[in-house]
Amino acid sequence: MAEPVLVVFAGLPGTGKSTIAHEVGRMLAAPVLSVDRIEAAMHRAGVDRAQPSGLAAYVVADALAREHARTGLSAIIDAVNDAEEAREQWRRLGRDERVDLVFVEVVLTDESVHRARLEGRQRDLGDFPEPSWSSVVARRAGFEGWTDARLQLDATRPAAENARTVVARLGR
């Protein structure tokens, strides 16, 4: 059995992170812990949108990933991870649980394709709000100065090809 690994996807909304993350999860037989799906479930359960549910969703994903690591299982995190604090959370988890951590940053180099994907996406998240293009552009600043070693993928390439690149990087 392979050693557990924590694969943390990062990138702006609408780049295709979730699509690639789920393909990697299928290939590794590892759960994908989606911060957006967790937050949407909190709202369906009645958590008021005025509460810091985004932060809470990251904390829930962390708790689930820790539990998987403690039982010797890998996990995949699907989140924007544009804040240094979020990325530090995953570094700390890797150190605490002694699991390898691999950051995967998904970018979309064609801005017109990125915007079209964002504005046209249909996710099964109930009334979970989609971000506006202007809010996505504003979030780019969160990636400036990020110095962690990471695998960068261009989502203009097919998702299956990008997923195979991730699995190859993991040596699996």
Side-chain angles (χ1 to χ4, degrees), residues 51-145:
Q51 297 299 316
S53 57
L55 172 61
Y58 273 84
V59 172
V60 170
D62 180 280
L64 294 170
R66 283 178 187 276
E67 188 66 23
H68 281 81
R70 289 175 184 157
T71 57
L73 300 172
S74 296
I76 299 167
I77 303 298
D78 173 20
V80 174
N81 286 306
D82 59 337
E84 173 56 28
E85 295 82 2
R87 296 187 297 262
E88 177 56 29
Q89 171 183 356
W90 307 123
R91 287 186 217 106
R92 187 172 40 256
L93 188 155
R95 286 189 307 268
D96 291 352
E97 303 304 329
R98 295 181 178 89
V99 295
D100 287 337
L101 167 65
V102 176
F103 281 113
V104 178
E105 182 183 11
V106 180
V107 298
L108 195 45
T109 55
D110 186 325
E111 189 170 280
S112 63
V113 170
H114 184 180
R115 184 172 186 165
R117 282 187 188 177
L118 177 75
E119 292 174 348
R121 73 181 178 174
Q122 300 282 324
R123 300 189 297 169
D124 183 25
L125 296 178
D127 65 351
F128 188 75
E130 292 294 343
S132 66
W133 177 247
S134 61
S135 72
V136 169
V137 170
R139 291 183 85 168
R140 286 182 181 156
F143 293 100
E144 293 172 7

